Amino acid sequence: MNFEAKLAAPTPAVSGAEPALARSFLPITALSLAIAAGFTAMMSFGTVQEAAKAELGLSDAVLGLIQGVSAAVPLVLFSIPIGILVDRGNRMRLFIALALTWTLGTAITAYAPNVAILFVGRMLTGIGTTGALTAALSLSADLCGPTERGRGVLLISLGKALGQAAAFAVVGWTFGYFVQTSAANWLGLAPWRSTHLALTFASLACILPLLFFREPPRHEVEAQVGAPFRVLAGEFWERRGFLLPLFAGQVTVVMADAAAAIWAAPVLGRDFGQQPQDFAGWMGAMMLFTGIAGAVLGGIAADAGQKTGRRGGLLIGAVIAAVLAIPAALFPLAGSTTLFAIALGTLVLCGTVTGLITSVALTVFVPNELRGLCIGAFIAVAGLIGFGIAPSLVTLISSLLGGEQHLATALAGVGFTVSLVSLGAFVVAMRNAPSNATEPVR
């Protein structure tokens, strides 16, 4: 059987007792570690982009395209096909293939001689990481039962949080190491390039444990694995009253978070006089703490919300987090680095909570054969709007305000506005939520 056939090999659907989270801890942890490596690679460029800007002579507008559009366009093209593969094929093999894709993209970033090649490298990193996240969420859902799913997805979210924190702390420290020591010219590369080459080798090491785990059987199938697309489209349409506002709520959260992740470091450099090695430590620690806390709170809130017995109770935590994110989005206008860190940390915390609860909602309220497609569709929309529009929207607004010196004001305005939209969308999704995966929405 060739590689493509192996990826497409279906996973049998089964019924019976729920799988226990305790027995699946090792494979979920291995997936979490790999996801951490992927998100470190995906977000690494933002930490060192000022050095790349200086070397390649880039403008903020070009940086916005590299950071945003390079991720958004391929996500729109590939996320839904990847989601369909997740629903129909061997998810573990697919995950490994996508992990190798983000690793290749990181290596290309290290050696990119111009903007076009750099764009391709960041594009591959985004495709691999976000596609692998879809597979990881589907795998974790079948490695534990619905009543434990918040905690199962929590482990995947912890990996994502660890990767986001490492993108600041580890990448910033590594960049500073290459700048300050004789290793700065490692293999003839500039420090920001050497940093990405080091990430390439680290990523390969994190992928190896996945070779020892098998594909789990699928649970909670309404139609059948590999059902015709018209059947899946019908199932999606029946749930549109829930899925569309849920997507809108989390996509606008992604807009705020993506803009913050891409432009926080430049704001710190321009408005607060900090260099990557100055803010890498505290920002990395803040990202790690809020990521872990957000994953824990989101997982507990999702499972606790289900126990309330209230329709849509699983989303109560997402609504609360959306409320708190509105003032936190004003972090670029903070009067001190301390207030900047507190507000940004709150925004990241709330985004992690809503992201995890949204993921749990898709695994609890959507049948198995539709989950990958829904997650892929969400990633496609989030990629187009969150990564493709939000970063460039910030630069457009700053330009309208008078130039790059207004970056902080533009970033605050975008974050505040989209956070308001997310709150309303989550409220609607909560009201329209079904009772379980096989019940159509009212």
Side-chain angles (χ1 to χ4, degrees):
M1 183 180 293
N2 59 31
F3 182 70
E4 291 79 6
K6 288 181 178 179
L7 285 181
T11 307
V14 299
S15 59
E18 294 180 359
L21 178 60
R23 294 197 299 269
S24 303
F25 182 77
L26 286 179
I28 293 181
T29 300
L31 289 168
S32 178
L33 179 63
I35 285 293
F39 274 89
T40 301
M42 181 177 176
M43 298 183 62
S44 59
F45 188 74
T47 303
V48 300
Q49 64 181 325
E50 291 293 281
K53 176 182 180 180
E55 179 188 331
L56 298 175
L58 308 178
S59 66
D60 278 356
V62 172
L63 284 175
L65 291 173
I66 292 173
Q67 289 277 67
V69 178
S70 67
V73 172
L75 289 182
V76 171
L77 296 178
F78 291 102
S79 291
I80 291 178
I82 288 174
I84 293 173
L85 281 176
V86 167
D87 287 335
R88 296 169 178 255
N90 187 299
R91 294 164 290 181
M92 191 64 75
R93 293 192 185 110
L94 178 62
F95 184 98
I96 293 172
L98 291 166
L100 292 174
T101 300
W102 85 55
T103 304
L104 174 62
T106 307
I108 291 174
T109 300
Y111 288 98
N114 52 49
V115 171
I117 302 301
L118 182 60
F119 186 94
V120 171
R122 304 318 299 160
M123 178 182 69
L124 290 175
T125 305
I127 292 174
T129 301
T130 53
L133 181 60
T134 301
L137 291 172
S138 180
L139 284 164
S140 66
D142 282 323
L143 287 167
C144 59
T147 57
E148 296 181 312
R149 202 152 287 162
R151 283 158 286 174
V153 174
L154 183 157
L155 293 174
I156 301 298
S157 187
L158 286 178
K160 179 180 177 181
L162 179 62
Q164 291 172 328
F168 288 100
V170 175
V171 171
W173 180 88
T174 304
F175 175 79
Y177 173 78
F178 285 126
V179 167
Q180 297 170 11
T181 69
S182 59
N185 213 20
W186 190 35
L187 297 182
L189 299 176
W192 70 273
R193 296 179 182 276
S194 296
T195 299
H196 281 89
L197 186 58
L199 288 177
T200 301
F201 293 123
S203 180
L204 289 172
C206 291
I207 296 171
L208 288 176
L210 298 173
L211 300 176
F212 298 95
F213 298 105
R214 296 181 178 179
E215 172 83 356
R218 297 179 186 266
H219 298 265
E220 301 158 34
V221 177
E222 179 180 339
Q224 63 181 28
V225 176
F229 184 76
R230 60 179 176 77
V231 175
L232 301 181
E235 291 180 353
F236 185 96
W237 187 248
E238 287 178 344
R239 293 163 174 81
R240 66 189 181 280
F242 165 67
L243 289 174
L244 293 180
L246 182 69
F247 279 24
Q250 189 55 27
V251 164
T252 46
V253 168
V254 171
M255 289 183 70
D257 288 353
I262 289 171
W263 295 118
V267 169
L268 281 170
R270 300 174 194 180
D271 292 36
F272 295 86
Q274 299 224 334
Q275 297 300 315
Q277 53 268 39
D278 297 326
F279 61 77
W282 66 259
M283 184 172 283
M286 179 269 294
M287 293 289 287
L288 179 61
F289 172 77
T290 55
I292 292 174
V296 172
L297 289 173
I300 293 174
D303 287 347
Q306 293 187 77
K307 294 178 182 178
T308 64
R310 178 176 179 176
R311 180 176 288 271
L314 189 154
L315 294 173
I316 292 175
V319 172
I320 295 173
V323 171
L324 297 176
I326 294 172
L330 298 175
F331 74 91
L333 304 181
S336 68
T337 304
T338 300
L339 290 177
F340 182 103
I342 292 173
L344 176 59
T346 302
L347 184 68
V348 174
L349 177 73
C350 294
T352 305
V353 169
T354 61
L356 190 141
I357 292 176
T358 298
S359 298
V360 175
L362 290 175
T363 65
V364 170
F365 295 141
V366 175
N368 200 305
E369 69 275 13
L370 190 61
R371 287 174 190 164
L373 178 59
C374 283
I375 295 171
F378 160 71
I379 290 176
V381 175
L384 176 62
I385 300 177
F387 290 96
I389 295 178
S392 296
L393 180 61
V394 171
T395 60
L396 173 62
I397 293 176
S398 68
S399 177
L400 293 175
L401 291 175
E404 295 183 355
Q405 68 271 24
H406 296 286
L407 178 65
T409 303
L411 178 57
V414 170
F416 183 83
T417 303
V418 298
S419 295
L420 283 173
V421 175
S422 71
L423 172 60
F426 278 128
V427 170
V428 175
M430 181 176 171
R431 291 175 178 174
N432 293 341
S435 297
N436 53 59
T438 57
E439 179 199 355
V441 179
R442 295 173 300 176

